[in-house]
Amino acid sequence: MKASRFLVSTLKEAPADAEVASHRLMTRAGMIKKLGAGIYSYMPMGLRVIRKVEAIVREEMNRAGAIELTMPVVQPAELWQETGRFEKMGPELLRIRDRHERDFVVQPTSEEVVTDIARQEIRSYKQLPRNFYQIQTKFRDERRPRFGLMRGREFIMKDAYSFDRDAESAKASYHVMAQAYRRAFDRFGLRYRAVAADSGAIGGDLSEEFQVIAATGEDAIVYCPDSDYAANMEKAEALAPAGPRPAASKPLTKTPTPGKATCADVAELLGVPLSTTVKSLVLATDEVDEAGQPKGAQVWLLLLRGDHDMNEVKVGKLPGFEGGWRFATLAEIEDHFGCKPGYLGPLNLRKPVKLVADREVAVMADWICGANEPDFHIIGVNWGRDLPEPALVADLRNVVAGDPSPDGKGALVIERGIEVGHVFYLGTKYSKAMNATFLEEDGKPRFMEMGCYGIGITRLPAAAIEQNHDERGIIWPDAIAPFTVVVCPIGMDRSEAVKQEAERIYADLLAAGVDVILDDRNERPGAMFADWELIGVPHRITIGDKGLKDGVVEYQHRRDASATKVPAAEAAAFVKGRLAV
């Protein structure tokens, strides 16, 4: 490709609404152009990146035995009504009607359509397993689209769906996909982690998110540098402290803490570590009778160490919380504790509550909590002596950096990540809802076991930029750069020697299969270099009259601080060698 025939359209300034690096740089580099809120045109430079991402994904999906198809963007509501998602999904599901007043949706995902295909095409166990995938446009009507392609409304996604005869086979299909994802992400050239994720209402452990490590990531990911353990914050387990609980050493003492309603304030007032305090969180579960009518609420008291935060996903899995939970109302709190929040604790309750202690709190001694009286706390609280041993002890908290890894192989580290892929075992959730069955070997119908697997095709380039950029612009990994090499001739309109050498090196690289662009626009060197540094092409060859007199050209990787002189005759071979590194 020659730049004079391509669209190189860079900007000096980013749009005012660009909040993150990827949005600013993709816009400035002429890769995307905003059409509406969360809706972008993929310009030629950006589309080249997207096509390279698609190619890697397609190759690895095909290699894993998946079969490509394409499902409609606009889908009849009837299928979504079969699963109940037409009613259950919120306003992010774009619902439309045609001229005949029939309901449709603009797909955010395609579980219903692919299940409909499977129930029509798959009759026998002999046709299983099957995995269908597509690379297709999706739409989610985000309430607040932002961050460019990171959280747009229209986007391109690879979604795949596996169908199997039983749970064991489905798990095998899941692992095939998980490995295919690892191969794809390795090829992207990004620093990433595959982290264990929560499976939600479906349950089970077969759920992994693929997170690109970036300081601007929305998700906290937890991993052990000394092992393969990795999980998102919702899933990461906080182990119980090693060793027995210390013996009580302090008397139970009620002490004034005027105006100190937080654990941090109390610890500062008393001059003690925050880790010696215990916070009280009051939750409620609403109960119903056999007819489904409300019959009151059960109030729960959860105790966590003062320097720890509650993990809502873990709490939702506690016995008794299966039907959902909420934070207790002020009236419920005052009714059971006789006090407003800020001074609550498990002693001197007005009415009984169900108590759950975090693993850390269960082995604490001489701890501090609220006295259930305004402006007072209690020092020296101990299990067994001052209140009964907790009936339920559970992992209730978010892990913190330095916690021991659950696999026993080191300490945990926390970094930010951007989710760009997810593999998930679905079970029979959709096949049961849509009566997608096959005939088993015994002639009886069985529901197909399903898995789903997604990669954000247009989100991945944005995540790559968040991880790889500097003050000058983007730094693409070779595999997904819009062009791998740029040839920058200085003054080729004035020097026949520069022009001929540029054309020769360009032709040599093309013949070697390198994705190269020749900048023949006759731009000034400063402007030319600034464009390609902004765009992020990883390898650059600069050709000038002065160098050619000595028989050399200059090579510079986008991350290099300075250029390297290379014999002109060896330039193409030198670059090829760098690409192999």
Side-chain angles (χ1 to χ4, degrees):
M1 179 63 66
K2 293 188 177 180
S4 60
R5 301 176 189 170
F6 197 68
L7 182 63
V8 180
S9 178
T10 57
L11 300 173
K12 292 187 181 297
E13 300 294 333
D17 64 343
E19 301 175 69
V20 295
S22 58
H23 190 186
R24 292 193 299 270
L25 293 173
M26 291 191 89
T27 304
R28 286 189 57 213
M31 295 188 172
I32 58 173
K33 190 171 290 293
K34 184 176 178 180
L35 182 63
I39 302 174
Y40 294 86
S41 297
Y42 308 125
M43 302 301 286
M45 195 70 76
L47 186 61
R48 289 183 66 88
V49 177
I50 292 168
R51 291 292 183 247
K52 289 188 176 183
V53 172
E54 289 178 350
I56 291 172
V57 170
R58 184 172 278 113
E59 287 169 13
E60 293 303 336
M61 292 301 294
N62 293 344
R63 178 180 170 188
I67 306 165
E68 187 171 7
L69 48 67
T70 301
M71 291 173 277
V73 174
V74 176
Q75 302 174 355
E78 287 89 341
L79 294 177
W80 288 70
Q81 288 163 347
E82 283 188 57
T83 62
R85 289 209 297 174
F86 186 76
E87 293 79 18
K88 289 179 183 176
M89 283 192 74
E92 67 272 12
L93 178 64
L94 183 61
R95 300 162 175 86
I96 58 175
R97 284 185 175 174
D98 67 8
R99 67 179 67 192
H100 303 293
E101 293 298 308
R102 292 176 298 204
D103 289 315
F104 290 82
V105 304
V106 179
Q107 64 143 356
T109 181
S110 282
E111 282 83 358
E112 283 81 1
V113 173
V114 78
T115 304
D116 181 58
I117 290 171
R119 69 181 173 183
Q120 293 183 60
E121 296 294 331
I122 298 173
R123 308 290 186 186
S124 166
Y125 71 94
K126 295 179 181 179
Q127 296 172 271
L128 297 172
R130 283 286 185 271
N131 188 322
F132 301 111
Y133 81 96
Q134 66 172 348
I135 297 176
Q136 177 63 294
T137 299
K138 306 286 194 298
F139 190 92
R140 289 178 187 163
D141 198 3
E142 293 274 0
R143 182 175 186 177
R144 190 187 173 198
R146 57 195 304 213
F147 304 152
L149 299 190
M150 291 280 286
R151 191 182 291 176
R153 292 196 294 166
E154 181 181 288
F155 53 96
I156 299 172
M157 182 176 172
K158 188 284 300 179
D159 46 329
Y161 307 90
S162 60
F163 295 86
D164 285 273
R165 63 191 292 187
D166 54 37
E168 185 177 353
S169 300
K171 290 176 182 178
S173 292
Y174 171 93
H175 288 299
V176 168
M177 281 292 100
Q179 290 307 309
Y181 271 47
R182 284 167 170 80
R183 290 194 301 269
F185 277 84
D186 287 343
R187 290 178 62 186
F188 293 143
L190 301 175
R191 185 166 164 253
Y192 76 96
R193 282 275 176 171
V195 302
D198 182 68
S199 298
I202 296 172
D205 296 322
L206 294 182
S207 178
E208 290 174 280
E209 294 171 351
F210 286 75
Q211 299 265 0
V212 170
I213 307 299
T216 53
E218 298 172 312
D219 303 321
I221 63 173
V222 180
Y223 67 93
C224 177
D226 304 315
S227 73
D228 293 331
Y229 178 81
N232 63 16
M233 184 59 76
E234 290 75 18
K235 181 76 172 179
E237 181 183 7
L239 295 179
R245 180 196 300 155
S249 62
K250 294 182 179 179
L252 194 68
T253 306
K254 180 175 152 183
T255 187
T257 53
K260 306 301 181 184
T262 69
C263 288
D265 288 343
V266 171
E268 183 180 11
L269 174 69
L270 301 179
V272 298
L274 182 57
S275 59
T276 63
T277 67
V278 168
K279 65 176 66 171
S280 297
L281 302 173
V282 187
L283 276 51
T285 51
D286 295 309
E287 301 178 333
V288 295
D289 58 24
E290 293 181 358
Q293 298 300 312
K295 64 172 187 178
Q298 172 64 56
V299 173
W300 300 72
L301 174 61
L302 274 56
L303 299 179
L304 281 82
R305 214 169 74 179
D307 57 341
H308 288 159
D309 293 323
M310 184 181 81
N311 185 307
E312 295 190 6
V313 172
K314 293 178 180 178
V315 168
K317 295 184 176 182
L318 292 173
F321 284 64
E322 299 88 347
W325 60 274
R326 57 179 172 82
F327 286 100
T329 65
L330 182 59
E332 288 170 332
I333 291 172
E334 291 182 337
D335 187 37
H336 287 75
F337 294 83
C339 182
K340 292 182 179 180
Y343 302 92
L344 305 180
L347 297 171
N348 308 316
L349 297 175
R350 180 176 289 179
K351 288 184 178 180
V353 297
K354 287 190 176 182
L355 186 146
V356 186
D358 181 69
R359 289 171 173 174
E360 290 273 358
V361 174
V363 296
M364 287 175 65
D366 300 327
W367 38 279
I368 301 167
C369 66
N372 289 327
E373 182 179 337
D375 297 326
F376 282 92
H377 279 75
I378 298 177
I379 300 173
V381 182
N382 284 274
W383 297 107
R385 187 192 72 180
D386 307 313
L387 74 168
E389 295 288 343
L392 179 57
V393 176
D395 176 15
L396 303 178
R397 69 177 178 91
N398 289 331
V399 300
V400 295
D403 278 345
S405 177
D407 61 10
K409 296 182 179 179
L412 295 177
V413 171
I414 299 175
E415 289 193 88
R416 306 303 299 179
I418 301 168
E419 183 186 348
V420 289
H422 199 164
V423 291
F424 189 69
Y425 170 53
L426 284 172
T428 57
K429 177 179 179 180
Y430 290 93
S431 58
K432 280 186 176 179
M434 299 183 69
N435 196 32
T437 63
F438 66 98
L439 292 181
E440 193 38 286
E441 201 166 359
D442 57 10
K444 295 180 180 178
R446 303 278 171 83
F447 291 110
M448 299 179 204
E449 295 277 345
M450 293 176 58
C452 67
Y453 318 94
I455 290 178
I457 299 293
T458 45
R459 195 173 209 229
L460 193 138
I465 294 171
E466 293 296 329
Q467 185 183 93
N468 300 280
H469 70 274
D470 61 16
E471 69 282 355
R472 291 175 292 166
I474 303 165
I475 309 173
W476 289 110
D478 285 7
I480 58 175
F483 294 96
T484 313
V485 180
V486 59
V487 177
C488 293
I490 307 301
M492 68 180 290
D493 57 330
R494 302 185 303 273
S495 170
E496 187 63 24
V498 168
K499 180 179 180 181
Q500 288 182 4
E501 190 61 25
E503 293 280 5
R504 186 191 66 77
I505 292 174
Y506 170 65
D508 286 350
L509 288 169
L510 280 180
V514 176
D515 188 13
V516 58
I517 185 167
L518 170 62
D519 193 342
D520 58 346
R521 298 175 298 163
N522 297 318
E523 288 279 1
R524 292 178 294 103
M528 185 190 307
F529 295 160
D531 275 350
W532 297 112
E533 288 174 344
L534 173 59
I535 293 166
V537 173
H539 304 272
R540 185 178 81 204
I541 296 175
T542 304
I543 305 165
D545 263 329
K546 184 177 179 181
L548 287 181
K549 290 176 183 178
D550 297 324
V552 297
V553 296
E554 291 186 344
Y555 164 83
Q556 187 167 357
H557 187 275
R558 179 63 178 78
R559 292 188 185 276
D560 292 346
S562 59
T564 301
K565 293 186 186 308
V566 178
E570 301 172 13
F574 180 86
V575 172
K576 281 280 288 182
R578 288 300 303 263
L579 298 181
V581 173

